[in-house]
Amino acid sequence: MAVAALKEYVGVSRDRVENYHGKQLVYVAWDYHMLFAAPFMFCVEPQMKLGDLVRGPLSALMQPDPDAASIDWSKVEWLKLGKPWTPDFERSIEENGIGHKEQLRFRTPGLNTLRDAA
Amino acid sequence: MEMKVAKKKLGLKERYRVMTRDLGWEPSYHTKEALYPYVGYEGIKIHDWEKWEDPFRLTMDAYWKYQAEKERKFYAIVDAHAQNNGHLNLTDARYLSALKIFLQAISPGEYAAHKGFARAGREFPGVGTQVACQMQAIDEIRHAQTQIHALSNYNKYYDGFHAFSDQRDRIWYTSVPRSFFDDAMSAGPFEFMVAIGFSFEYVLTNLLFVPFMSGAAYNGDMATVTFGFSAQSDEARHMTLGLECIKFLLEQDPANVPIVQAWFDKWFWRGFRVLGLVSTMMDYMLPKRVMSWREAWNMYGIENGTALFNDLARYGIRPPKGWDDAEKAIDHMSHQFMLGLYQWSFGTSFHSWIPSDDEMAWLSKKYPTTFDKYYRPRWDHIKKLAAAGTPYKNYGLPKLCQTCQLPTVFTEPEDPTLICHREVEYKGERYHFCSDGCQHIFENEPEKYIQAWLPMPQIHQDPIRGDLGAWMDWVNLKDGQDNGDYVGSNDQRNFDAWRGLATSNE
Ligand SMILES: [Fe+2]
Ligand SMILES: [Fe+2]
């Protein structure tokens, strides 16, 4: 049973993609970089080039981390649905198969300054 | 014509019967099912409501007299506190952050508990239960009122207190207790009793109120100590009622045991997430610390919890499912959560700050295996950023957990350097969680939790559409006053100036 109820009960999600006026949510997390307390949430157009999201708003938010300046995006390892994944920065969010509320993660092997500081 | 009848004085037992059990009646022109429509659908079986024991045998007239006396004492002290500038006896105005969180997040929960018990009292068929719920409903509204009154005095002098009810509804760090109570109030009456009467009152109250009230005493906050005392005897009654209720359910029918166990699992974890707020208060916000969150957990969580589980084992109840994950999180949760509160402090109606060297030394002493290893490097870096004139703010709004509604700041149980990612697809839509515990709660009743109103995704919908200034207006947060770093705040400036006037001849 999907809910304990007296009669037939159907819920409606509050965060459906149609509530975002043509945009969608995307979550991005930099693994092992815990200066950022939680994954970042972006609200973007599905037609936006993935590279524009990464080099634009994502890179801007990453600046406070001491590793941000040394990052080489061509060497970054990406995860989608927890599995290794290769993005195409030149294609759009949509063309990269990134759905509404998708969680992307990336790792920067050898570049984990604050984690390795202690 | 007046008839004079000699009044016989009733004995205590007789009086209790007349004032409680005798208030009930057998319905004659409606069925019992029609009168109590919500009592069956959760699957709980009650064979004999008369078996409900009221552990206090308190009648409404005695209750009224007793509570009125407490009110008189309470208001006498709160008035004196206001007249004598009691706020200047605080150790430091940093302490006020804990109070602001309490007022925005916890006091509204008292009011929610009031509504919930009023409803439960109507929905249960047994008279003993009805009367007990009615008294607790009145207790809870009294708690909400006394807390708001006691703290209203601080609102005259300090920022961040003025819009607690808007912030309860709309801001993001309050959504963990708000959703806790919304979840309980939209459940059936038995689940409500297990959630609030048992998990909250019995298992978690000590971890919330005891540290909070001792924190108030340690930091010179007489107003809060006074409402704490005024509520204490009620809490003792609530805890006993909660335990009585759970035993009643378990004894009535063996089929109730697995249902109760599932609620126990769920509400332990939901309560544990609410305690995330308490842990940051204990470890980071009290200028004069009482004990660490870890020490409180050992004393009130492990010791009392273990005694309770041993007691309930004879009914076939085992410790809640999330118990081991909770233990793994204890030495991390306050640090992980506080880092979040600090970096998003542009969106909090209280101040936070970088812990001082002294405070960090205290933290590494209290958390010898985790603080220096994981958390000090982050605070040191944040300190460096502040010294360089680029104080750290994280304008990346966080991902929230669909169940507890907190930002997903917590880590994998086995790796404290990696955020815990959990995701479920339900009817073609993705949902995210902070932990296995929250994911399991969702999976048991997805149709309920998909409706969660999550404050962060909401910012990008109507009417705010991603405009941070519009959001601040909407949550009634005054930028540059209520939010941000303590250092340089009005609160700091005013408290230091007023205290200077009170303690020197300048
Ligand atoms: Fe209460
Ligand atoms: Fe959660």
Side-chain angles (χ1 to χ4, degrees), chain B residues 318-334:
Chain B
R318 49 158 179 75
K321 216 189 209 164
W323 185 253
D324 294 337
D325 281 350
E327 172 56 35
K328 286 177 199 157
I330 296 297
D331 292 329
H332 298 279
M333 59 196 278
S334 67

Side-chain angles (χ1 to χ4, degrees), chain B residues 141-159:
Chain B
I141 200 167
R142 198 179 76 88
H143 295 172
Q145 285 172 339
T146 51
Q147 288 167 20
I148 293 163
H149 278 149
L151 300 186
S152 67
N153 183 45
Y154 291 104
N155 181 47
K156 293 180 198 159
Y157 304 101
Y158 303 101
D159 292 330

Side-chain angles (χ1 to χ4, degrees), chain A residues 35, chain B residues 339 342 354 377-386 392:
Chain A
L35 182 69
Chain B
L339 273 155
Y342 180 79
I354 301 168
R378 296 176 208 171
W379 285 117
D380 281 346
H381 183 68
I382 292 171
K383 225 162 125 179
K384 233 163 49 193
L385 290 174
Y392 178 37

Side-chain angles (χ1 to χ4, degrees), chain A residues 25-29 31 36-42 101-105, chain B residues 172 337 344 394 396-402 404-410 412 419-424 430-435 454-457 460:
Chain A
L25 298 182
V26 180
Y27 299 111
V28 186
D31 281 358
F36 309 110
F40 302 120
M41 177 178 74
F42 297 99
K101 293 196 270 177
E102 183 96 48
Q103 171 71 63
L104 302 177
R105 295 162 61 184
Chain B
W172 52 278
F337 199 40
W344 300 306
N394 179 357
L397 302 182
K399 179 174 83 168
L400 303 188
C401 172
Q402 187 76 24
C404 73
Q405 306 197 3
L406 282 175
T408 55
V409 299
F410 303 108
E412 286 289 349
I419 295 276
C420 182
H421 292 276
R422 296 291 182 273
E423 181 175 339
V424 165
R430 285 188 182 85
Y431 299 95
H432 297 274
F433 307 93
C434 73
S435 56
L454 299 178
M456 288 297 161
H460 289 294

Side-chain angles (χ1 to χ4, degrees), chain B residues 129-425:
Chain B
T129 331
Q130 291 170 352
V131 172
C133 285
Q134 185 187 20
M135 283 178 196
Q136 186 158 352
I138 301 170
D139 288 340
E140 301 297 4
I141 200 167
R142 198 179 76 88
H143 295 172
Q145 285 172 339
T146 51
Q147 288 167 20
I148 293 163
H149 278 149
L151 300 186
S152 67
N153 183 45
Y154 291 104
N155 181 47
K156 293 180 198 159
Y157 304 101
Y158 303 101
D159 292 330
F161 286 96
H162 63 103
F164 71 93
S165 62
D166 284 343
Q167 283 147 11
R168 179 267 181 192
D169 289 344
R170 296 175 178 184
I171 221 164
W172 52 278
Y173 50 91
T174 53
S175 62
V176 61
R178 175 177 56 72
S179 69
F180 178 101
F181 282 102
D182 285 352
D183 191 348
M185 288 162 69
S186 53
F190 288 108
E191 184 178 346
F192 175 81
M193 284 302 282
V194 173
I196 309 299
F198 184 63
S199 283
F200 201 72
E201 296 282 356
Y202 198 86
V203 185
L204 305 169
T205 277
N206 276 336
L207 279 161
L208 202 160
F209 286 94
V210 176
F212 190 77
M213 297 310 157
S214 359
Y218 267 53
N219 288 280
D221 177 13
M222 271 317 287
T224 298
V225 171
T226 307
F227 76 63
F229 274 132
S230 186
Q232 205 171 40
S233 52
D234 300 340
E235 297 305 341
R237 185 154 33 79
H238 299 172
M239 288 173 77
T240 316
L241 177 67
L243 190 61
E244 182 56 41
C245 171
I246 207 92
K247 289 186 172 169
F248 175 68
L249 292 186
L250 296 172
E251 278 163 9
Q252 281 290 309
D253 198 296
N256 293 343
V257 175
I259 303 176
V260 168
Q261 178 73 56
W263 287 338
F264 196 14
D265 291 345
K266 166 181 172 180
W267 289 99
F268 167 74
W269 193 254
R270 294 228 60 174
F272 187 67
R273 280 297 182 241
V274 174
L275 291 174
L277 273 175
V278 181
S279 70
T280 58
M281 181 205 82
M282 295 189 68
D283 284 342
Y284 283 89
M285 295 181 188
L286 299 179
K288 199 163 164 48
R289 310 284 208 269
V290 180
M291 57 171 90
S292 67
W293 159 248
R294 161 51 87 185
E295 289 164 329
W297 176 254
N298 287 353
M299 190 178 306
Y300 300 111
I302 300 183
E303 259 183 53
N304 298 1
T306 309
L308 175 72
F309 306 142
N310 289 343
D311 189 26
L312 295 179
R314 66 194 145 110
Y315 299 105
I317 290 285
R318 49 158 179 75
K321 216 189 209 164
W323 185 253
D324 294 337
D325 281 350
E327 172 56 35
K328 286 177 199 157
I330 296 297
D331 292 329
H332 298 279
M333 59 196 278
S334 67
H335 315 298
Q336 294 173 348
F337 199 40
M338 190 65 217
L339 273 155
L341 292 176
Y342 180 79
Q343 62 196 256
W344 300 306
S345 73
F346 53 89
T348 64
S349 192
F350 58 86
H351 300 299
S352 38
W353 53 90
I354 301 168
S356 67
D357 293 347
D358 273 2
E359 287 173 316
M360 291 220 253
W362 184 87
L363 287 164
S364 48
K365 202 172 89 211
K366 296 297 181 184
Y367 294 93
T369 58
T370 59
F371 186 75
D372 287 345
K373 186 163 186 222
Y374 302 109
Y375 305 104
R376 185 188 283 275
R378 296 176 208 171
W379 285 117
D380 281 346
H381 183 68
I382 292 171
K383 225 162 125 179
K384 233 163 49 193
L385 290 174
T390 52
Y392 178 37
K393 286 182 172 39
N394 179 357
Y395 286 106
L397 302 182
K399 179 174 83 168
L400 303 188
C401 172
Q402 187 76 24
T403 303
C404 73
Q405 306 197 3
L406 282 175
T408 55
V409 299
F410 303 108
T411 46
E412 286 289 349
E414 307 304 336
D415 185 355
T417 65
L418 192 60
I419 295 276
C420 182
H421 292 276
R422 296 291 182 273
E423 181 175 339
V424 165
E425 197 178 306

Side-chain angles (χ1 to χ4, degrees), chain B residues 427-443:
Chain B
K427 290 187 177 172
E429 186 91 14
R430 285 188 182 85
Y431 299 95
H432 297 274
F433 307 93
C434 73
S435 56
D436 291 325
C438 281
Q439 182 184 334
H440 292 152
I441 294 169
F442 177 93
E443 284 169 328

